[in-house]
Coordinates of all heavy atoms in Angstrom, one line a residue:
M1166 N 43.3 -76.2 -37.6 CA 43.0 -76.5 -36.2 C 41.8 -75.7 -35.7 O 41.6 -74.5 -36.0 CB 44.2 -76.1 -35.3 CG 45.3 -77.1 -35.4 SD 46.2 -77.3 -33.9 CE 47.5 -76.1 -34.1
P1167 N 40.9 -76.4 -35.0 CA 39.6 -75.7 -34.5 C 40.0 -74.6 -33.5 O 40.9 -74.8 -32.7 CB 38.9 -76.8 -33.9 CG 39.5 -78.1 -34.3 CD 40.9 -77.8 -34.7
K1168 N 39.3 -73.5 -33.6 CA 39.5 -72.4 -32.7 C 38.4 -72.6 -31.6 O 37.2 -72.8 -31.8 CB 39.3 -71.1 -33.3 CG 40.5 -70.7 -34.1 CD 40.5 -69.1 -34.2 CE 41.9 -68.6 -34.7 NZ 42.1 -69.1 -36.1
V1169 N 38.8 -72.3 -30.3 CA 37.9 -72.4 -29.2 C 38.1 -71.0 -28.5 O 39.2 -70.6 -28.2 CB 38.2 -73.5 -28.2 CG1 37.2 -73.5 -27.0 CG2 38.1 -74.9 -29.0
T1170 N 37.0 -70.4 -28.1 CA 37.0 -69.2 -27.3 C 36.5 -69.5 -25.9 O 35.4 -70.0 -25.8 CB 36.1 -68.1 -28.0 OG1 36.6 -67.8 -29.3 CG2 36.1 -66.8 -27.1
Y1171 N 37.3 -69.2 -25.0 CA 36.9 -69.3 -23.6 C 36.6 -67.9 -23.0 O 37.4 -67.0 -23.3 CB 38.1 -69.9 -22.7 CG 38.5 -71.3 -23.1 CD1 39.3 -71.5 -24.2 CD2 38.0 -72.4 -22.4 CE1 39.7 -72.8 -24.5 CE2 38.4 -73.7 -22.8 CZ 39.2 -73.9 -23.8 OH 39.6 -75.2 -24.2
I1172 N 35.5 -67.8 -22.4 CA 35.2 -66.5 -21.8 C 35.2 -66.6 -20.3 O 34.4 -67.4 -19.7 CB 33.8 -66.0 -22.3 CG1 33.8 -65.9 -23.8 CG2 33.5 -64.6 -21.7 CD1 32.5 -65.5 -24.5
A1173 N 36.1 -65.9 -19.6 CA 36.2 -66.0 -18.2 C 35.0 -65.3 -17.5 O 34.2 -64.5 -18.2 CB 37.5 -65.3 -17.7
F1174 N 34.8 -65.5 -16.2 CA 33.6 -64.9 -15.5 C 33.7 -63.4 -15.6 O 32.6 -62.8 -15.6 CB 33.6 -65.4 -14.1 CG 32.4 -65.1 -13.4 CD1 31.2 -65.8 -13.6 CD2 32.3 -64.1 -12.4 CE1 30.0 -65.5 -13.0 CE2 31.1 -63.8 -11.8 CZ 30.0 -64.5 -12.1
D1175 N 34.9 -62.8 -15.6 CA 35.0 -61.4 -15.7 C 34.9 -60.8 -17.1 O 35.0 -59.6 -17.4 CB 36.3 -60.9 -15.0 CG 37.5 -61.3 -15.8 OD1 37.4 -61.9 -16.9 OD2 38.6 -60.9 -15.4
G1176 N 34.6 -61.7 -18.1 CA 34.4 -61.3 -19.4 C 35.7 -61.3 -20.3 O 35.6 -61.1 -21.5
T1177 N 36.8 -61.6 -19.7 CA 38.0 -61.8 -20.5 C 37.9 -62.9 -21.5 O 37.5 -64.0 -21.1 CB 39.2 -62.0 -19.6 OG1 39.3 -61.0 -18.5 CG2 40.6 -62.0 -20.4
K1178 N 38.3 -62.6 -22.7 CA 38.2 -63.7 -23.8 C 39.6 -64.2 -24.1 O 40.5 -63.5 -24.3 CB 37.6 -63.0 -25.1 CG 36.1 -62.9 -25.0 CD 35.6 -62.6 -26.4 CE 34.1 -62.3 -26.3 NZ 33.5 -61.7 -27.4
Y1179 N 39.6 -65.5 -24.3 CA 40.8 -66.2 -24.7 C 40.5 -67.0 -25.9 O 39.7 -68.0 -25.8 CB 41.3 -67.1 -23.6 CG 41.6 -66.5 -22.3 CD1 40.5 -66.4 -21.3 CD2 42.8 -66.0 -21.9 CE1 40.7 -65.8 -20.1 CE2 43.0 -65.5 -20.6 CZ 42.0 -65.3 -19.8 OH 42.2 -64.8 -18.5
E1180 N 41.1 -66.7 -27.1 CA 40.8 -67.4 -28.3 C 42.0 -68.3 -28.6 O 43.1 -67.7 -28.7 CB 40.5 -66.5 -29.4 CG 39.9 -67.3 -30.6 CD 39.6 -66.4 -31.8 OE1 38.6 -65.6 -31.7 OE2 40.3 -66.5 -32.8
V1181 N 41.9 -69.6 -28.6 CA 43.1 -70.4 -28.8 C 42.8 -71.5 -29.9 O 41.6 -71.7 -30.2 CB 43.4 -71.2 -27.5 CG1 43.8 -70.2 -26.4 CG2 42.3 -72.1 -27.0
E1182 N 43.9 -72.0 -30.4 CA 43.7 -73.1 -31.3 C 43.8 -74.4 -30.6 O 44.7 -74.6 -29.7 CB 44.9 -73.1 -32.4 CG 44.7 -71.9 -33.3 CD 45.5 -72.0 -34.5 OE1 46.6 -72.6 -34.5 OE2 45.2 -71.4 -35.5
A1183 N 42.9 -75.3 -30.9 CA 42.8 -76.6 -30.1 C 43.2 -77.7 -31.1 O 43.0 -77.7 -32.3 CB 41.4 -76.8 -29.7
K1184 N 43.8 -78.7 -30.4 CA 44.3 -79.9 -31.2 C 43.1 -80.9 -31.3 O 42.5 -81.2 -30.3 CB 45.4 -80.5 -30.5 CG 46.5 -81.1 -31.4 CD 47.7 -81.5 -30.7 CE 48.0 -82.9 -31.0 NZ 48.8 -83.6 -30.0
T1185 N 42.8 -81.3 -32.5 CA 41.8 -82.3 -32.7 C 42.2 -83.6 -31.9 O 43.3 -84.0 -31.9 CB 41.7 -82.7 -34.2 OG1 41.4 -81.5 -34.9 CG2 40.6 -83.7 -34.4
G1186 N 41.2 -84.1 -31.2 CA 41.5 -85.3 -30.3 C 41.8 -84.9 -28.9 O 41.7 -85.8 -28.0
S1187 N 42.1 -83.7 -28.6 CA 42.3 -83.3 -27.2 C 40.9 -82.9 -26.7 O 40.0 -82.9 -27.4 CB 43.3 -82.1 -27.1 OG 42.8 -81.0 -27.7
T1188 N 40.9 -82.5 -25.4 CA 39.6 -82.1 -24.8 C 39.6 -80.6 -24.6 O 40.6 -79.9 -24.6 CB 39.3 -82.8 -23.5 OG1 40.3 -82.4 -22.5 CG2 39.4 -84.3 -23.7
V1189 N 38.4 -80.1 -24.3 CA 38.3 -78.7 -24.0 C 39.0 -78.3 -22.7 O 39.7 -77.3 -22.6 CB 36.8 -78.3 -23.8 CG1 36.6 -76.9 -23.3 CG2 36.1 -78.4 -25.2
M1190 N 39.1 -79.3 -21.8 CA 39.8 -79.1 -20.5 C 41.3 -79.0 -20.8 O 42.0 -78.1 -20.4 CB 39.5 -80.2 -19.5 CG 40.3 -80.2 -18.2 SD 42.0 -80.9 -18.4 CE 41.6 -82.6 -18.1
E1191 N 41.8 -80.0 -21.6 CA 43.3 -80.1 -21.9 C 43.7 -78.8 -22.6 O 44.8 -78.3 -22.4 CB 43.6 -81.3 -22.7 CG 43.5 -82.6 -21.9 CD 43.4 -83.8 -22.8 OE1 43.1 -83.7 -24.0 OE2 43.6 -84.9 -22.3
T1192 N 42.9 -78.3 -23.5 CA 43.2 -77.2 -24.3 C 43.3 -75.9 -23.4 O 44.2 -75.1 -23.5 CB 42.1 -76.9 -25.4 OG1 42.1 -78.1 -26.2 CG2 42.5 -75.7 -26.3
A1193 N 42.4 -75.8 -22.4 CA 42.5 -74.7 -21.5 C 43.7 -74.8 -20.6 O 44.4 -73.8 -20.4 CB 41.2 -74.8 -20.6
I1194 N 44.0 -75.9 -20.1 CA 45.2 -76.1 -19.2 C 46.5 -75.8 -20.0 O 47.4 -75.0 -19.6 CB 45.3 -77.5 -18.7 CG1 44.1 -77.9 -17.8 CG2 46.6 -77.7 -17.9 CD1 43.9 -77.2 -16.5
K1195 N 46.6 -76.3 -21.2 CA 47.8 -76.1 -22.1 C 48.0 -74.6 -22.4 O 49.1 -74.2 -22.5 CB 47.5 -76.9 -23.4 CG 48.7 -77.0 -24.2 CD 48.6 -78.0 -25.4 CE 49.6 -77.7 -26.4 NZ 49.1 -77.6 -27.7
N1196 N 46.9 -73.9 -22.5 CA 47.0 -72.5 -22.8 C 47.0 -71.5 -21.6 O 46.9 -70.3 -21.8 CB 45.9 -72.1 -23.8 CG 46.2 -72.7 -25.2 OD1 47.0 -72.2 -26.0 ND2 45.5 -73.8 -25.5
G1197 N 47.0 -72.1 -20.4 CA 47.1 -71.3 -19.2 C 45.8 -70.5 -18.9 O 45.9 -69.4 -18.3
I1198 N 44.7 -71.0 -19.4 CA 43.5 -70.3 -19.2 C 43.0 -70.5 -17.7 O 42.8 -71.7 -17.3 CB 42.4 -70.7 -20.2 CG1 42.9 -70.3 -21.6 CG2 41.0 -70.2 -19.8 CD1 42.2 -70.9 -22.7
P1199 N 42.8 -69.4 -17.0 CA 42.4 -69.6 -15.6 C 41.0 -70.0 -15.4 O 40.1 -69.8 -16.2 CB 42.7 -68.2 -15.0 CG 42.5 -67.3 -16.1 CD 42.9 -68.0 -17.4
G1200 N 40.7 -70.7 -14.2 CA 39.3 -71.0 -13.9 C 38.9 -72.5 -14.1 O 37.8 -72.9 -13.7
I1201 N 39.8 -73.2 -14.7 CA 39.5 -74.7 -14.9 C 40.6 -75.4 -14.1 O 41.8 -75.3 -14.5 CB 39.5 -75.1 -16.4 CG1 38.3 -74.4 -17.1 CG2 39.4 -76.6 -16.5 CD1 38.2 -74.7 -18.5
E1202 N 40.2 -76.1 -13.0 CA 41.2 -76.7 -12.2 C 41.6 -78.2 -12.6 O 42.7 -78.6 -12.5 CB 40.7 -76.7 -10.7 CG 40.6 -75.2 -10.2 CD 39.9 -75.1 -8.9 OE1 39.8 -76.1 -8.2 OE2 39.6 -74.0 -8.5
A1203 N 40.6 -78.9 -12.9 CA 40.8 -80.3 -13.5 C 41.6 -81.1 -12.5 O 42.6 -81.7 -12.9 CB 41.4 -80.2 -14.9
E1204 N 41.2 -81.2 -11.3 CA 42.0 -81.9 -10.3 C 42.2 -83.4 -10.5 O 43.2 -84.0 -10.2 CB 41.3 -81.8 -8.9 CG 41.6 -80.4 -8.2 CD 40.7 -80.2 -7.0 OE1 40.0 -81.1 -6.5 OE2 40.6 -79.0 -6.6
C1205 N 41.2 -84.0 -11.2 CA 41.4 -85.5 -11.5 C 42.1 -85.8 -12.8 O 42.3 -86.9 -13.1 CB 40.0 -86.2 -11.4 SG 39.0 -86.0 -12.9
G1206 N 42.5 -84.7 -13.5 CA 43.2 -84.9 -14.7 C 42.4 -85.5 -15.9 O 43.0 -86.0 -16.8
G1207 N 41.1 -85.4 -15.8 CA 40.3 -85.7 -16.9 C 39.6 -87.1 -16.8 O 39.1 -87.6 -17.8
A1208 N 39.5 -87.6 -15.6 CA 38.9 -88.9 -15.4 C 37.4 -88.8 -15.0 O 36.8 -89.8 -14.6 CB 39.7 -89.6 -14.2
C1209 N 36.8 -87.7 -15.2 CA 35.4 -87.5 -14.9 C 35.0 -87.9 -13.5 O 34.0 -88.5 -13.2 CB 34.5 -88.4 -15.9 SG 32.8 -87.9 -15.9
S1210 N 35.9 -87.5 -12.6 CA 35.7 -87.8 -11.2 C 35.9 -86.7 -10.2 O 36.1 -86.9 -9.0 CB 36.5 -89.0 -10.8 OG 37.8 -88.8 -10.9
C1211 N 35.9 -85.4 -10.7 CA 36.2 -84.3 -9.8 C 35.2 -83.1 -9.9 O 34.9 -82.4 -9.0 CB 37.6 -83.8 -9.8 SG 38.0 -82.8 -11.3
A1212 N 34.7 -82.9 -11.1 CA 33.8 -81.8 -11.5 C 34.5 -80.4 -11.3 O 33.8 -79.4 -11.3 CB 32.5 -81.8 -10.7
T1213 N 35.8 -80.3 -11.2 CA 36.4 -79.0 -11.1 C 36.9 -78.5 -12.5 O 37.7 -77.6 -12.6 CB 37.7 -79.0 -10.2 OG1 38.6 -79.9 -10.7 CG2 37.2 -79.4 -8.8
C1214 N 36.3 -79.1 -13.5 CA 36.6 -78.6 -14.9 C 35.2 -78.2 -15.5 O 35.1 -78.1 -16.7 CB 37.2 -79.7 -15.8 SG 36.1 -81.1 -16.0
H1215 N 34.3 -77.9 -14.6 CA 32.9 -77.4 -15.0 C 33.0 -76.2 -15.9 O 33.7 -75.2 -15.6 CB 32.1 -77.2 -13.8 CG 30.8 -76.6 -14.0 ND1 30.3 -75.6 -13.2 CD2 29.8 -76.8 -15.0 CE1 29.1 -75.2 -13.6 NE2 28.8 -75.9 -14.7
V1216 N 32.2 -76.2 -17.0 CA 32.1 -75.0 -17.9 C 30.7 -74.9 -18.4 O 29.9 -75.9 -18.2 CB 33.0 -75.1 -19.1 CG1 34.5 -75.1 -18.7 CG2 32.7 -76.3 -20.0
Y1217 N 30.3 -73.8 -18.9 CA 29.1 -73.6 -19.6 C 29.3 -73.6 -21.1 O 30.2 -72.8 -21.6 CB 28.4 -72.3 -19.2 CG 28.2 -72.2 -17.7 CD1 28.9 -71.3 -16.9 CD2 27.2 -73.0 -17.1 CE1 28.7 -71.2 -15.6 CE2 27.0 -72.9 -15.7 CZ 27.8 -72.0 -15.0 OH 27.6 -71.9 -13.6
V1218 N 28.6 -74.4 -21.9 CA 28.7 -74.4 -23.3 C 27.8 -73.3 -23.8 O 26.6 -73.2 -23.4 CB 28.3 -75.7 -23.9 CG1 28.3 -75.7 -25.4 CG2 29.3 -76.8 -23.4
D1219 N 28.3 -72.4 -24.7 CA 27.4 -71.4 -25.3 C 26.1 -72.1 -25.9 O 26.3 -73.1 -26.6 CB 28.1 -70.6 -26.3 CG 27.4 -69.4 -26.8 OD1 27.5 -68.3 -26.2 OD2 26.6 -69.6 -27.8
P1220 N 24.9 -71.5 -25.6 CA 23.7 -72.2 -26.0 C 23.7 -72.5 -27.5 O 23.1 -73.5 -27.9 CB 22.6 -71.2 -25.7 CG 23.2 -70.4 -24.6 CD 24.7 -70.3 -24.8
Q1221 N 24.4 -71.7 -28.4 CA 24.3 -72.1 -29.8 C 25.2 -73.3 -30.1 O 25.2 -73.8 -31.3 CB 24.7 -70.9 -30.7 CG 26.2 -70.4 -30.5 CD 26.5 -69.1 -31.2 OE1 25.7 -68.7 -32.1 NE2 27.6 -68.5 -31.0
W1222 N 26.0 -73.8 -29.2 CA 26.8 -74.9 -29.4 C 26.4 -76.2 -28.7 O 27.0 -77.2 -28.9 CB 28.3 -74.5 -29.0 CG 28.9 -73.7 -30.0 CD1 29.0 -72.3 -30.0 CD2 29.6 -74.1 -31.2 NE1 29.7 -71.9 -31.1 CE2 30.0 -73.0 -31.8 CE3 29.8 -75.4 -31.7 CZ2 30.7 -73.0 -33.0 CZ3 30.5 -75.4 -33.0 CH2 30.9 -74.3 -33.6
T1223 N 25.4 -76.1 -27.9 CA 25.1 -77.3 -27.1 C 24.6 -78.5 -27.9 O 24.9 -79.6 -27.6 CB 24.0 -77.0 -26.0 OG1 22.9 -76.4 -26.7 CG2 24.5 -76.1 -24.9
A1224 N 24.0 -78.2 -29.1 CA 23.6 -79.3 -29.9 C 24.8 -80.0 -30.5 O 24.8 -81.2 -30.8 CB 22.7 -78.8 -31.0
V1225 N 25.8 -79.3 -30.8 CA 27.0 -79.8 -31.4 C 27.9 -80.6 -30.4 O 28.4 -81.7 -30.6 CB 27.9 -78.7 -32.1 CG1 29.0 -79.4 -32.9 CG2 27.1 -77.8 -32.9
T1226 N 28.0 -80.0 -29.2 CA 28.8 -80.7 -28.1 C 28.1 -82.0 -27.6 O 28.7 -82.9 -27.1 CB 29.2 -79.8 -27.0 OG1 28.0 -79.2 -26.5 CG2 30.1 -78.7 -27.4
G1227 N 26.7 -82.0 -27.7 CA 26.0 -83.1 -27.3 C 25.7 -83.2 -25.8 O 26.0 -82.2 -25.0
E1228 N 25.0 -84.2 -25.4 CA 24.5 -84.4 -24.0 C 25.6 -85.0 -23.2 O 26.4 -85.8 -23.7 CB 23.3 -85.3 -24.0 CG 22.1 -84.8 -24.7 CD 21.4 -83.8 -24.0 OE1 21.2 -83.9 -22.8 OE2 21.0 -82.8 -24.6
P1229 N 25.7 -84.7 -21.9 CA 26.6 -85.4 -21.0 C 26.2 -86.8 -20.8 O 25.0 -87.2 -20.9 CB 26.5 -84.6 -19.7 CG 25.3 -83.8 -19.8 CD 24.9 -83.6 -21.2
S1230 N 27.2 -87.7 -20.6 CA 26.9 -89.1 -20.3 C 26.3 -89.2 -18.9 O 26.3 -88.2 -18.1 CB 28.2 -89.9 -20.3 OG 29.0 -89.5 -19.3
A1231 N 25.7 -90.4 -18.6 CA 25.1 -90.6 -17.3 C 26.2 -90.3 -16.2 O 25.9 -89.7 -15.1 CB 24.6 -92.0 -17.2
M1232 N 27.4 -90.8 -16.4 CA 28.4 -90.6 -15.4 C 28.8 -89.1 -15.2 O 28.9 -88.6 -14.1 CB 29.7 -91.4 -15.8 CG 30.8 -91.4 -14.8 SD 32.1 -92.4 -15.6 CE 33.5 -91.9 -14.6
E1233 N 28.8 -88.4 -16.3 CA 29.1 -87.0 -16.3 C 28.0 -86.2 -15.6 O 28.2 -85.3 -14.8 CB 29.3 -86.4 -17.7 CG 29.7 -85.0 -17.8 CD 29.9 -84.5 -19.2 OE1 30.0 -85.3 -20.1 OE2 29.9 -83.2 -19.3
E1234 N 26.7 -86.6 -15.9 CA 25.6 -86.0 -15.2 C 25.7 -86.1 -13.7 O 25.5 -85.2 -13.0 CB 24.3 -86.7 -15.6 CG 23.7 -86.3 -17.0 CD 22.9 -85.1 -16.9 OE1 23.0 -84.3 -15.9 OE2 22.2 -84.8 -17.9
D1235 N 26.1 -87.3 -13.3 CA 26.2 -87.6 -11.8 C 27.3 -86.6 -11.2 O 27.1 -86.1 -10.1 CB 26.6 -89.0 -11.5 CG 25.5 -90.0 -11.7 OD1 24.3 -89.5 -11.9 OD2 25.7 -91.2 -11.8
M1236 N 28.4 -86.5 -11.9 CA 29.5 -85.6 -11.4 C 29.0 -84.1 -11.4 O 29.4 -83.3 -10.6 CB 30.7 -85.7 -12.2 CG 31.5 -87.0 -12.0 SD 31.8 -87.4 -10.2 CE 32.7 -86.0 -9.7
L1237 N 28.2 -83.8 -12.4 CA 27.8 -82.4 -12.5 C 26.9 -81.9 -11.3 O 26.8 -80.8 -11.0 CB 27.0 -82.1 -13.8 CG 27.9 -81.9 -15.1 CD1 27.0 -82.0 -16.3 CD2 28.6 -80.5 -15.0
D1238 N 26.4 -82.9 -10.6 CA 25.6 -82.6 -9.4 C 26.5 -82.0 -8.3 O 26.1 -81.3 -7.4 CB 25.0 -83.9 -8.8 CG 23.9 -84.4 -9.6 OD1 23.3 -83.6 -10.4 OD2 23.5 -85.6 -9.4
F1239 N 27.8 -82.2 -8.5 CA 28.8 -81.6 -7.5 C 29.3 -80.3 -8.0 O 30.0 -79.6 -7.2 CB 30.0 -82.6 -7.3 CG 29.6 -83.9 -6.7 CD1 29.4 -85.0 -7.5 CD2 29.4 -84.0 -5.3 CE1 29.0 -86.2 -6.9 CE2 29.0 -85.2 -4.7 CZ 28.8 -86.3 -5.5
A1240 N 29.0 -79.9 -9.2 CA 29.5 -78.6 -9.7 C 28.7 -77.5 -9.1 O 27.4 -77.6 -9.0 CB 29.5 -78.6 -11.2
Q1241 N 29.3 -76.4 -8.9 CA 28.6 -75.2 -8.3 C 27.9 -74.5 -9.5 O 28.4 -74.3 -10.5 CB 29.7 -74.3 -7.7 CG 29.1 -73.3 -6.7 CD 30.2 -72.6 -5.9 OE1 31.2 -73.2 -5.6 NE2 30.0 -71.3 -5.7
D1242 N 26.6 -74.1 -9.2 CA 25.8 -73.3 -10.1 C 25.7 -74.0 -11.5 O 25.8 -73.3 -12.5 CB 26.4 -71.9 -10.3 CG 26.4 -71.1 -9.0 OD1 25.5 -71.3 -8.2 OD2 27.3 -70.3 -8.8
A1243 N 25.5 -75.3 -11.5 CA 25.4 -76.0 -12.8 C 24.0 -75.6 -13.4 O 23.0 -75.3 -12.7 CB 25.5 -77.5 -12.6
N1244 N 23.9 -75.6 -14.7 CA 22.6 -75.3 -15.4 C 22.5 -76.3 -16.6 O 23.4 -77.2 -16.8 CB 22.4 -73.9 -15.7 CG 23.3 -73.4 -16.8 OD1 23.9 -74.1 -17.6 ND2 23.6 -72.1 -16.8
E1245 N 21.5 -76.0 -17.4 CA 21.3 -77.0 -18.5 C 22.4 -76.9 -19.6 O 22.5 -77.8 -20.5 CB 19.9 -76.8 -19.1 CG 19.6 -75.5 -19.8 CD 19.4 -74.3 -18.9 OE1 19.3 -74.5 -17.6 OE2 19.4 -73.2 -19.4
T1246 N 23.2 -75.9 -19.6 CA 24.3 -75.8 -20.5 C 25.7 -76.3 -19.9 O 26.7 -76.2 -20.6 CB 24.6 -74.4 -21.1 OG1 25.0 -73.5 -20.0 CG2 23.3 -73.8 -21.6
S1247 N 25.6 -76.8 -18.7 CA 26.8 -77.2 -18.0 C 27.4 -78.5 -18.6 O 26.7 -79.4 -18.9 CB 26.6 -77.5 -16.5 OG 26.3 -76.3 -15.9
R1248 N 28.7 -78.6 -18.7 CA 29.4 -79.8 -19.1 C 30.7 -79.8 -18.3 O 31.2 -78.8 -17.8 CB 29.8 -79.8 -20.6 CG 28.6 -79.9 -21.5 CD 27.9 -81.2 -21.5 NE 28.8 -82.4 -21.7 CZ 29.2 -82.9 -22.8 NH1 28.7 -82.5 -23.9 NH2 30.0 -84.0 -22.8
L1249 N 31.3 -81.0 -18.2 CA 32.6 -81.2 -17.7 C 33.5 -81.1 -18.9 O 33.4 -81.9 -19.9 CB 32.8 -82.5 -17.0 CG 31.9 -82.7 -15.7 CD1 32.1 -84.0 -15.1 CD2 32.2 -81.5 -14.7
S1250 N 34.4 -80.1 -18.9 CA 35.2 -79.8 -20.1 C 36.2 -81.0 -20.5 O 36.6 -81.1 -21.6 CB 36.0 -78.5 -19.9 OG 36.8 -78.5 -18.8
C1251 N 36.5 -81.9 -19.5 CA 37.3 -83.0 -19.9 C 36.6 -84.0 -20.7 O 37.2 -85.0 -21.2 CB 37.9 -83.6 -18.6 SG 36.7 -84.5 -17.6
Q1252 N 35.3 -83.9 -20.8 CA 34.4 -84.9 -21.5 C 34.0 -84.3 -22.9 O 33.2 -85.0 -23.5 CB 33.2 -85.2 -20.6 CG 33.6 -85.8 -19.3 CD 34.4 -87.1 -19.4 OE1 34.0 -88.0 -20.0 NE2 35.6 -87.1 -18.8
I1253 N 34.5 -83.2 -23.3 CA 34.2 -82.7 -24.6 C 35.4 -82.8 -25.5 O 36.4 -82.1 -25.2 CB 33.8 -81.2 -24.6 CG1 32.6 -81.0 -23.6 CG2 33.4 -80.7 -26.0 CD1 32.2 -79.5 -23.4
K1254 N 35.4 -83.7 -26.4 CA 36.5 -83.9 -27.3 C 36.5 -83.0 -28.5 O 35.4 -82.8 -29.1 CB 36.4 -85.4 -27.9 CG 37.2 -86.4 -27.1 CD 38.2 -87.1 -28.0 CE 39.4 -87.7 -27.2 NZ 39.0 -88.9 -26.5
I1255 N 37.6 -82.4 -28.8 CA 37.7 -81.5 -29.9 C 37.7 -82.2 -31.2 O 38.5 -83.1 -31.4 CB 39.0 -80.6 -29.8 CG1 39.1 -79.9 -28.5 CG2 39.1 -79.7 -31.0 CD1 38.2 -78.7 -28.3
D1256 N 36.8 -81.8 -32.1 CA 37.0 -82.2 -33.5 C 36.6 -81.0 -34.4 O 36.3 -79.9 -33.9 CB 36.1 -83.4 -33.8 CG 34.6 -83.2 -33.7 OD1 34.2 -82.0 -33.9 OD2 33.9 -84.1 -33.3
D1257 N 36.7 -81.2 -35.7 CA 36.6 -80.1 -36.6 C 35.2 -79.4 -36.6 O 35.0 -78.2 -36.9 CB 36.9 -80.5 -38.1 CG 38.4 -80.7 -38.2 OD1 39.2 -80.2 -37.4 OD2 38.8 -81.5 -39.2
N1258 N 34.2 -80.2 -36.1 CA 32.8 -79.6 -36.0 C 32.8 -78.6 -34.9 O 31.8 -77.8 -34.8 CB 31.8 -80.7 -35.7 CG 31.7 -81.7 -36.8 OD1 31.7 -81.3 -37.9 ND2 31.4 -83.0 -36.5
L1259 N 33.8 -78.6 -34.0 CA 33.7 -77.6 -32.9 C 34.5 -76.3 -33.2 O 34.8 -75.5 -32.3 CB 34.2 -78.3 -31.6 CG 33.4 -79.4 -31.1 CD1 33.9 -80.0 -29.8 CD2 31.9 -78.9 -30.8
D1260 N 34.9 -76.2 -34.5 CA 35.6 -74.9 -34.8 C 34.7 -73.7 -34.5 O 33.6 -73.6 -35.1 CB 36.0 -75.0 -36.3 CG 36.9 -73.8 -36.7 OD1 37.6 -73.2 -35.8 OD2 36.8 -73.4 -37.9
G1261 N 35.2 -72.8 -33.7 CA 34.4 -71.7 -33.3 C 33.7 -71.8 -32.0 O 32.9 -70.9 -31.5
L1262 N 33.8 -73.0 -31.3 CA 33.2 -73.2 -30.0 C 33.4 -72.1 -29.0 O 34.5 -71.6 -28.9 CB 33.7 -74.6 -29.5 CG 33.2 -75.0 -28.1 CD1 31.7 -75.3 -28.2 CD2 34.0 -76.2 -27.6
I1263 N 32.3 -71.8 -28.3 CA 32.4 -70.8 -27.2 C 32.1 -71.4 -25.9 O 31.0 -72.1 -25.7 CB 31.4 -69.6 -27.5 CG1 31.8 -68.9 -28.8 CG2 31.5 -68.6 -26.4 CD1 30.8 -68.0 -29.3
I1264 N 33.0 -71.3 -25.0 CA 32.9 -71.9 -23.6 C 33.0 -70.8 -22.6 O 33.8 -69.9 -22.6 CB 34.1 -72.8 -23.4 CG1 34.0 -74.0 -24.4 CG2 34.3 -73.3 -22.0 CD1 32.9 -75.0 -24.0
R1265 N 32.1 -70.8 -21.6 CA 32.1 -69.8 -20.5 C 32.6 -70.5 -19.2 O 32.2 -71.7 -18.9 CB 30.8 -69.2 -20.3 CG 30.4 -68.3 -21.4 CD 29.2 -67.4 -21.1 NE 29.1 -66.3 -22.1 CZ 28.7 -66.5 -23.4 NH1 28.4 -67.7 -23.8 NH2 28.7 -65.5 -24.2
I1266 N 33.4 -69.9 -18.5 CA 34.0 -70.4 -17.3 C 33.2 -69.9 -16.1 O 33.0 -68.7 -16.0 CB 35.5 -70.1 -17.2 CG1 36.2 -70.7 -18.5 CG2 36.1 -70.6 -15.9 CD1 37.7 -70.2 -18.6
P1267 N 32.8 -70.8 -15.2 CA 32.1 -70.3 -14.0 C 32.9 -69.5 -13.1 O 34.2 -69.5 -13.2 CB 31.6 -71.6 -13.3 CG 32.5 -72.7 -13.8 CD 33.0 -72.2 -15.2
E1268 N 32.2 -68.8 -12.2 CA 32.9 -67.9 -11.2 C 33.9 -68.7 -10.4 O 35.0 -68.2 -10.1 CB 31.9 -67.2 -10.3 CG 32.5 -66.2 -9.4 CD 31.5 -65.4 -8.6 OE1 30.3 -65.9 -8.5 OE2 31.9 -64.4 -8.0
S1269 N 33.5 -69.9 -9.9 CA 34.5 -70.7 -9.2 C 34.1 -72.2 -9.4 O 33.0 -72.5 -9.8 CB 34.4 -70.4 -7.7 OG 33.2 -70.8 -7.2
Q1270 N 35.1 -73.0 -9.1 CA 34.9 -74.5 -9.2 C 34.6 -75.0 -7.8 O 35.2 -74.5 -6.8 CB 36.1 -75.2 -9.7 CG 36.5 -74.8 -11.1 CD 35.6 -75.3 -12.2 OE1 34.7 -76.1 -12.0 NE2 35.7 -74.7 -13.4
A1271 N 33.6 -75.9 -7.6 CA 33.2 -76.3 -6.3 C 34.3 -77.0 -5.6 O 35.2 -77.6 -6.2 CB 32.0 -77.3 -6.4
Ligands
LIG2712 FE1 38.0 -84.0 -13.3 FE2 37.0 -83.2 -15.6 S1 39.0 -83.0 -14.9 S2 36.0 -84.2 -14.0

C-alpha cells in the first residue's frame, strides 16, 4: 500500500498507508488527520480540502483540471503547488507522497 505523509501547519507529521483508488482527501479523513474539512465530500465543489503538494511530487500528481483550478480560486493562500486533495487519486506511483496542510481552510 502506498505511504502518504501529511505535514500539518505546525509541523506535525502523519505517515499513513493509503488504499489504491482512494483519494488523498479520503485517506486523511479516514485516518483522522486534522486540517482537511472536505465539506462537499469530494465533489470538487467546496475547496475545503485544499493542500500543498510537496514540490518534488507535483510532476507525479499532475495538474489540476479546469474545474479544480476554478475551485482553487476560493482556497485561502493557494499557490502553484496547491491542489484539492479530493482530486488526487492514490496509485502505486504516489508511494512516498508528501502533502502539506494549510493553516486554515477558507
Ligand atoms: Fe470539496 Fe474536495 S472535498 S472540493
Side-chain angles (χ1 to χ4, degrees):
M1166 283 215 266
K1168 280 206 169 65
V1169 178
T1170 299
Y1171 296 83
I1172 304 175
F1174 192 75
D1175 69 1
T1177 308
K1178 278 190 187 170
Y1179 305 86
E1180 191 181 290
V1181 301
E1182 291 196 333
K1184 217 170 125 202
T1185 303
S1187 69
T1188 66
V1189 170
M1190 176 278 276
E1191 289 164 344
T1192 304
I1194 300 290
K1195 189 169 164 232
N1196 288 280
I1198 293 165
I1201 294 178
E1202 294 170 15
E1204 279 169 16
C1205 78
C1209 196
S1210 59
C1211 74
T1213 62
C1214 65
H1215 172 219
V1216 295
Y1217 303 110
V1218 175
D1219 187 88
Q1221 65 185 349
W1222 282 96
T1223 52
V1225 188
T1226 53
E1228 297 284 317
S1230 67
M1232 186 177 163
E1233 184 182 341
E1234 281 278 13
D1235 286 348
M1236 285 313 301
L1237 278 167
D1238 289 344
F1239 297 98
Q1241 203 171 321
D1242 299 327
N1244 68 24
E1245 66 283 352
T1246 67
S1247 291
R1248 291 292 309 270
L1249 296 180
S1250 55
C1251 69
Q1252 301 301 303
I1253 306 174
K1254 266 235 159 75
I1255 302 285
D1256 63 29
D1257 289 338
N1258 293 327
L1259 293 183
D1260 185 28
L1262 177 66
I1263 298 168
I1264 293 290
R1265 289 190 166 75
I1266 299 172
E1268 185 173 17
S1269 69
Q1270 299 289 348

